[in-house]
């Protein structure tokens, strides 16, 4: 394997922490630099280098890339769907300009690879609800979804116009126990575990029958690393790949949780996040990712729930 030096931007976030730790296992602790606007996450401390950095400061980012001999960037800094609706201008600015800064530097410094995640939030009310395909009608209604869809086309453009090897996945809602989620509509599926253990009750901000595409974090990390390690000739999609894991509703996950916490009860009080969830598909067709680079998820609802409780307890 060629000597790689990787910069993870947004390394203290929900995905950043686990991805940084996974990359350090593969490439060596010293070769994976975590960076974030906020302080270093406790789980990263002592495991490798950390730099405090704002992705919006292009000059500083460029200096770091040159000084540290960076060959790959994983860009995870973004504002997610629910937080984005509270400040659409800021979400658009960070999600777009952060990506453009990274793509420009990748082009200029001829980086080996760039990773940038998109989301199932690109889909909107006019997209198919079940088994939503890779290519379909895409009319997002959140600023987050608009920024992700535009970002996908910037990635495609930088690849075809300038040869930047940028790769992307449309993650579903990600469920994890190591680091806290950052303001998404799918965050209920994490909160519910913590509330089940602490209070035996959860008041859900989505309706009981709201099905959404979800995935357990180990599968998301696996997908990311498999995509990034796939030979370039296997990558037919340069916007962003659909990947699928599990699809469930609050009612379904609640009944799974009851198997572990029999006293658990759930109530429903839908808020501004309900229309966001209603605009997204319920399940995703990821056959293109499966065919191109062999993607296959491992965790179903049952196995994920058991693993979450084992680790949270
Ligand atoms: P998160 O909010 O947990 O983490 C994002 C990190 O970026 C935070 O630690 C934050 O401090 C940092 N950040 C914010 N502004 C920054 C800036 N200007 N400079 C440097 N760092 C900055 O988000 P996450 O859940 O880890 O998501 C990471 C990426 O994956 C995002 O692009 C998100 O859209 C995408 N994604 C996440 C999910 C999910 O369910 N978690 C699903 C689909 C897509
Ligand atoms: C969110 O809910 O905003 C994220 C996502 C699906 O992109 N989890």
């Amino acid at each position: 394997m060629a000597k790689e030096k990787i910069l993870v931007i947004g390394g203290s976030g929900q995905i950043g922490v686990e991805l940084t730790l996974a990359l350090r296992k593969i490439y060596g602790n010293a070769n994976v630099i975590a960076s974030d606007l906020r302080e270093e996450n406790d789980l990263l401390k002592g495991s490798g280098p950390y730099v405090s950095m704002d992705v919006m400061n292009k000059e500083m980012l460029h200096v770091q890339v040159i000084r540290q001999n960076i060959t790959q960037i994983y860009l995870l800094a973004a504002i997610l769907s629910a937080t984005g609706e509270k400040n659409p201008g800021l979400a658009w600015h960070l999600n777009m300009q952060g990506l453009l800064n990274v793509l420009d530097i990748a082009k200029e410094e001829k980086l080996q690879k760039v990773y940038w995640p998109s989301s199932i939030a690109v889909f909107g009310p006019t997209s198919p609800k079940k088994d939503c395909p890779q290519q379909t009608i895409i009319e997002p209604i959140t600023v987050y979804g608009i920024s992700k869809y535009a970002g996908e086309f910037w990635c495609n453009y930088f690849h075809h116009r300038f040869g930047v090897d940028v790769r992307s996945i449309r993650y579903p809602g990600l469920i994890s126990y190591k680091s806290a989620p950052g303001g998404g509509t799918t965050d209920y599926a994490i909160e519910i575990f913590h509330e089940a253990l602490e209070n035996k009750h959860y008041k859900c901000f989505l309706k009981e029958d709201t099905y959404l595409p979800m995935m357990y974090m180990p599968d998301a990390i696996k997908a990311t690393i498999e995509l990034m390690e796939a030979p370039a000739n296997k990558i037919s999609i340069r916007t962003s790949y659909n990947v699928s894991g599990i699809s469930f509703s609050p009612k379904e996950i609640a009944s799974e949780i009851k198997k572990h916490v029999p006293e658990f009860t759930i109530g429903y009080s839908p808020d501004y996040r309900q229309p966001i969830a209603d605009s997204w598909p319920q399940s995703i067709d990821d056959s293109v990712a499966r065919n191109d680079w062999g993607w296959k998820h491992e965790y179903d609802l049952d196995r994920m729930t058991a693993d979450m409780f084992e680790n949270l307890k």
Side-chain angles (χ1 to χ4, degrees):
M1 195 181 292
K3 176 96 174 137
E4 298 293 351
K5 200 82 188 286
I6 297 175
L7 177 65
V8 180
I9 302 171
S12 284
Q14 190 199 356
I15 303 172
V17 169
E18 299 209 32
L19 193 53
T20 299
L21 293 172
L23 290 169
R24 283 181 177 160
K25 269 197 191 144
I26 300 171
Y27 295 98
N29 288 351
N31 297 320
V32 181
I33 300 163
S35 74
D36 204 292
L37 200 54
R38 56 173 148 157
E39 71 279 9
E40 183 178 20
N41 186 289
D42 282 348
L43 291 171
L44 294 180
K45 284 185 180 152
S47 75
Y50 176 82
V51 287
S52 177
M53 199 175 55
D54 183 350
V55 70
M56 302 301 274
N57 186 339
K58 190 175 175 187
E59 231 165 278
M60 162 116 170
L61 174 60
H62 204 158
V63 167
Q64 284 293 342
V65 167
I66 293 170
R67 193 182 285 162
Q68 311 269 6
N69 294 314
I70 296 299
T71 61
Q72 296 189 23
I73 295 180
Y74 286 66
L75 170 58
L76 304 172
I79 291 179
L80 279 74
S81 60
T83 310
E85 291 313 292
K86 292 186 182 148
N87 194 340
L90 182 67
W92 174 256
H93 190 48
L94 172 65
N95 296 1
M96 280 297 87
Q97 198 55 51
L99 174 61
L100 288 172
N101 288 351
V102 167
L103 290 175
D104 264 343
I105 292 169
K107 172 189 134 201
E108 209 157 312
E109 298 307 324
K110 299 192 170 31
L111 298 192
Q112 296 286 328
K113 282 177 208 166
V114 174
Y115 178 74
W116 171 83
S118 183
S119 162
I120 51 117
V122 293
F123 299 116
T126 48
S127 305
K129 284 278 166 221
K130 299 246 165 77
D131 297 329
C132 188
Q134 178 71 45
Q135 266 121 4
T136 185
I137 299 170
I138 297 190
E139 296 179 326
I141 59 158
T142 60
V143 67
Y144 174 65
I146 300 168
S147 73
K148 288 295 181 188
Y149 200 37
E152 290 187 6
F153 283 96
W154 276 116
C155 291
N156 195 49
Y157 179 79
F158 269 74
H159 175 70
H160 290 292
R161 177 90 207 272
F162 304 119
V164 176
D165 189 353
V166 50
R167 304 178 182 198
S168 178
I169 283 174
R170 290 172 179 155
Y171 291 131
L174 300 183
I175 295 150
S176 65
Y177 57 87
K178 286 192 183 160
S179 44
T185 304
T186 57
D187 291 3
Y188 92 83
I190 301 173
E191 289 172 9
I192 196 169
F193 284 96
H194 292 274
E195 293 294 312
L197 285 173
E198 279 159 34
N199 302 317
K200 318 280 179 237
H201 180 76
Y202 179 59
K203 191 169 93 175
C204 186
F205 58 75
L206 297 182
K207 289 190 216 153
E208 63 175 16
D209 55 352
T210 311
Y211 280 84
L212 286 172
M214 301 279 192
M215 183 178 280
Y216 197 32
M217 188 62 87
D219 272 338
I221 301 296
K222 182 169 96 83
T224 308
I225 288 171
E226 284 176 4
L227 171 67
M228 289 301 276
E229 290 188 345
N233 64 4
K234 297 274 180 205
I235 311 296
S236 71
I237 301 292
R238 288 295 181 165
T239 49
S240 189
Y241 276 100
N242 278 11
V243 295
S244 161
I246 327 164
S247 168
F248 57 80
S249 64
K251 192 176 170 188
E252 271 184 9
I253 194 169
S255 81
E256 202 59 41
I257 284 173
K258 257 174 134 11
K259 293 181 190 164
H260 300 262
V261 184
E263 322 88 283
F264 178 68
T265 57
I266 185 165
Y268 300 93
S269 178
D271 66 14
Y272 70 98
R273 289 165 280 195
Q274 184 66 47
I276 301 178
D278 287 340
S279 77
W280 293 347
Q282 298 179 343
S283 60
I284 298 288
D285 175 352
D286 60 359
S287 47
V288 181
R290 287 176 192 258
N291 289 335
D292 278 7
W293 42 277
W295 161 245
K296 196 168 179 293
H297 75 281
E298 282 178 6
Y299 284 85
D300 58 14
L301 180 57
D302 180 66
R303 194 170 158 212
M304 176 191 82
T305 308
D307 200 67
M308 281 290 283
F309 276 120
E310 205 177 303
N311 285 289
L312 284 174
K313 275 175 187 160

